[in-house]
Amino acid sequence: MKKFLSLTLAMCMALSLAACGSSGSSSGSGAQSGGSAAQTEPQFDENGYMLMDESYLSMAAGSAGGGWYVMGAAMNDLFERSMNVHMTLIPGGGSTNPTLVDEGGDVQLGFTYIANAVAATEGKYDYEGAQCNNLKALACLNIRQYLGITTTADYTSVEDMVANPKSLKIAVGPRGGGNEIMLNRYLEQLGTSLDELAAQGADVQYISASEGYTAIKDGNVNTCNYQAAIPLSSLVEALASQKMSFVSLDEATAQKVADIYGYSYDYIPAGSYQYQDSDVGTLCDTVILVVNSSVDDAVAYNMAKTLAENKDALVSAHASFEALDPQVMAQCGIDLHPGAQAYYESAGLM
């Protein structure tokens, strides 16, 4: 009976991919889609993976040592153990990754946020004049990442920081990262920017959250801006030895930013961190994986399958994967890669 069901599923997948015009085989490098005149039906192994040639892929994550980098390493390891693929992980950023993936030469896969992916494919905001036409979605990781601002100073709001730039020493994240961009978009509604605050005397440091919290403990900055899932390990560690307060965003202002750029306004629940006694209102976005459209259908199919069917292995590597839900993996805000779509359809996830 199991063999009959497996054969039936394989036949359905073959018909589905044939209808999409899939080649069903890789080019050898894994970075180029079929493209030959002859169309072949995909074949599957005993575990339901689509047969594919040996492939080489690079994934753009976030800054080295950050959450995305650790999660990327875990996924790359899982891909290599599950598929005939060799993975390379490189540092990246939330807004730069779509462009890197779209170009497809050195990077074929990467992390980003739904709002960034939508803007990239539509050629809006940071991607104006640089529309990403080769960008497709692989999977929604369902990881909501919140903008968080913590401080050892007496600031009670971002507006207070803007009014006192000469006393502000803030780590904002790498340029082009989601946290730096999201904070700048909030500041835009206040008629200023990080560059403007620096010109007025603020010490603005473009370093990662982990580096920022080390700087807070060392007394080199008094405020740290981050975008991360709950809990952020470097913040938890810093709070063990340094008391900080949590700064909420003004709801009306934050909602304007959310409406313009496609973010959500939400709350970091009270008690998520030490010294956080109340909900913290802020902006957030959801993490997805994007992939170049030229990646073989078989490779994209197998990567989607690997992620959907190995949650426990991913959670053991990074707690943020606890949010992974196969039921919403296809909900990415942009078009899915045909190979990934074929997997979700076959698994009843669309």
Side-chain angles (χ1 to χ4, degrees):
M1 184 63 177
K2 291 182 178 179
K3 290 183 177 179
F4 174 75
L5 290 174
S6 298
L7 179 59
T8 301
L9 175 60
M11 292 176 65
C12 290
M13 291 307 90
L15 291 172
S16 174
L17 285 176
C20 294
S22 166
S23 69
S25 64
S26 78
S27 65
S29 70
Q32 299 298 321
S33 188
S36 62
Q39 298 294 320
T40 59
E41 292 183 352
Q43 302 295 315
F44 298 83
D45 66 17
E46 65 276 11
N47 296 313
Y49 282 89
M50 194 179 293
L51 298 184
M52 53 176 276
D53 292 339
E54 184 178 29
S55 301
Y56 296 82
L57 297 174
S58 292
M59 174 191 285
S63 56
W68 280 5
Y69 203 86
V70 176
M71 287 188 283
M75 285 191 290
N76 281 2
D77 179 64
L78 185 59
F79 289 148
E80 289 190 335
R81 287 189 283 112
S82 303
M83 304 162 49
N84 188 19
V85 66
H86 304 280
M87 303 293 303
T88 300
L89 185 66
I90 66 171
S95 65
T96 57
N97 286 355
T99 300
L100 292 173
V101 172
D102 182 69
E103 292 170 350
D106 297 322
V107 177
Q108 298 80 38
L109 177 68
F111 288 84
T112 193
Y113 301 102
I114 288 179
N116 280 341
V118 172
T121 57
E122 294 179 355
K124 297 171 61 178
Y125 309 126
D126 293 337
Y127 306 93
E128 186 173 353
Q131 185 173 4
C132 295
N133 297 311
N134 302 315
L135 195 71
K136 300 297 179 183
L138 180 73
C140 173
L141 300 180
N142 198 39
I143 299 171
R144 290 173 69 81
Q145 294 203 319
Y146 299 81
L147 187 73
I149 302 173
T150 59
T151 184
T152 57
D154 295 329
Y155 303 123
T156 58
S157 66
V158 175
E159 288 76 1
D160 190 19
M161 298 175 193
V162 170
N164 299 279
K166 292 183 179 179
S167 64
L168 180 62
K169 298 179 180 180
I170 184 171
V172 299
R175 284 189 183 271
N179 40 352
E180 181 260 340
I181 289 175
M182 192 176 278
L183 178 58
N184 251 331
R185 287 175 171 175
Y186 184 88
L187 292 173
E188 180 182 75
Q189 294 299 312
L190 304 181
T192 189
S193 67
L194 290 169
D195 287 342
E196 177 63 24
L197 291 177
Q200 295 173 357
D203 180 4
V204 180
Q205 299 187 26
Y206 293 90
I207 56 179
S208 69
S210 59
E211 293 170 322
Y213 282 115
T214 297
I216 274 191
K217 289 188 290 184
D218 293 341
N220 295 324
V221 300
N222 57 24
T223 306
C224 191
N225 171 73
Y226 67 87
Q227 187 180 3
I230 302 169
L232 175 62
S233 58
S234 57
L235 174 55
V236 172
E237 180 184 345
L239 288 168
S241 59
Q242 177 69 64
K243 183 176 181 180
M244 290 177 247
S245 59
F246 293 75
V247 178
S248 287
L249 301 184
D250 175 72
E251 182 174 358
T253 304
Q255 192 60 60
K256 288 180 183 178
V257 178
D259 291 343
I260 294 170
Y261 294 105
Y263 302 136
S264 298
Y265 179 80
D266 206 343
Y267 296 88
I268 300 173
S272 296
Y273 295 99
Q274 187 177 2
Y275 305 118
Q276 187 208 340
D277 299 327
S278 58
D279 293 346
V280 175
T282 190
L283 293 163
C284 65
D285 205 350
T286 302
V287 181
I288 65 172
L289 289 178
V290 289
V291 62
N292 188 279
S293 59
S294 67
V295 168
D296 290 339
D297 289 347
V299 175
Y301 181 101
N302 291 340
M303 287 194 294
K305 174 181 173 66
T306 298
L307 292 173
E309 300 179 13
N310 291 277
K311 178 176 176 176
D312 289 346
L314 293 169
V315 171
S316 67
H318 198 287
S320 291
F321 283 117
E322 189 64 52
L324 184 66
D325 181 358
Q327 296 297 323
V328 300
M329 283 179 64
Q331 300 173 21
C332 299
I334 64 171
D335 291 342
L336 290 164
H337 188 288
Q341 181 170 331
Y343 169 73
Y344 297 132
E345 290 176 345
S346 72
L349 300 175
M350 289 187 70

